[in-house]
Amino acid sequence: MDEELRSLTERLRQESGATPAFEHLAASGEGELAQVLTAPGQPLWARELAAFRLGLAGDRRAFESLVLLLNHRDPQRCASAAHALARLGDPRTARAAAALATNELRVAYALHPVRLLVELRAPESAPALITTLERRLRPHDPYRRVALACVEGLGALGDPRARTVLNEALAHPVLAQAAVRALARIPRPR
């Protein structure tokens, strides 16, 4: 069993109170899981379990629910959604993650979209991380974890377009070491 699926299943079993409805859904097939995503009045734990399992199975009916969970206030839900979206294989995923990562109104929840963009290595990844990091370099910005994830992600992506913003990050003590490591991973122009 996928470790992330095992962890999610245990978390949602507790959240649901280990009801028979949970056990039934945990053993359900894709058709029944997809119905949970559209049925009215379903609890959040049921929608999350259905979307996650469908995402791991590559069933694109889970896409919208997973994107909503990627932008949830609960970091565990965001992490699980990012994991499932990375395995879903839906071509809309990178665009959605980029939109969430660069949305200043939801920047408090941008950490997992940023990490997902790095994992996807899509054409949208580096531009979205550059934009997000540029905004985080303002004085007294409270979202240092997002900024650090952008710096590390840009290093992992190795995109030369990130050189300017990473050089700017050197001036921020919290980001300086990570920026040095990230810049070392970007190929030098010839």
Side-chain angles (χ1 to χ4, degrees):
M1 177 184 271
D2 178 282
E3 178 58 29
E4 193 71 26
L5 175 59
R6 188 196 63 71
S7 175
L8 174 125
T9 302
E10 286 309 310
R11 176 173 57 82
L12 296 181
R13 180 175 280 120
Q14 289 177 3
E15 186 178 319
S16 72
T19 62
F22 171 84
E23 299 304 334
H24 175 77
L25 189 59
S28 295
E30 289 181 30
E32 194 168 343
L33 292 171
Q35 288 176 350
V36 168
L37 296 180
T38 57
Q42 294 296 315
L44 183 57
W45 64 260
R47 292 188 191 283
E48 183 179 5
L49 180 60
F52 186 86
R53 288 193 49 221
L54 288 169
L56 291 186
D59 189 323
R60 291 186 181 170
R61 293 177 287 185
F63 177 76
E64 288 84 4
S65 295
L66 288 171
V67 169
L68 288 172
L69 290 165
L70 181 63
N71 196 31
H72 198 275
R73 68 182 175 273
D74 179 351
Q76 290 181 308
R77 292 195 200 289
C78 298
S80 295
H83 181 82
L85 281 164
R87 282 136 193 87
L88 180 60
D90 192 301
R92 301 171 292 175
T93 301
R95 196 168 42 252
L100 293 174
T102 59
N103 182 343
E104 277 299 290
L105 298 176
R106 302 290 292 173
V107 70
Y109 310 110
L111 182 62
H112 292 286
V114 163
R115 289 178 177 165
L116 176 59
L117 284 165
V118 175
E119 186 174 352
L120 294 173
R121 297 182 163 274
E124 297 89 345
S125 297
L129 268 62
I130 290 168
T131 297
T132 303
L133 180 56
E134 286 171 342
R135 294 171 180 167
R136 304 288 60 84
L137 296 180
R138 296 180 188 135
H140 312 293
D141 185 87
Y143 305 107
R144 289 294 172 210
R145 289 185 62 212
V146 173
L148 185 58
C150 288
V151 169
E152 292 169 347
L154 288 167
L157 294 172
D159 191 309
R161 295 175 291 180
R163 191 172 293 286
T164 301
V165 74
L166 289 173
N167 278 318
E168 292 172 17
L170 291 170
H172 297 264
V174 175
L175 305 174
Q177 284 186 332
V180 167
R181 288 191 300 271
L183 284 163
R185 297 178 75 180
I186 296 176
R188 289 250 175 235
R190 294 181 184 217

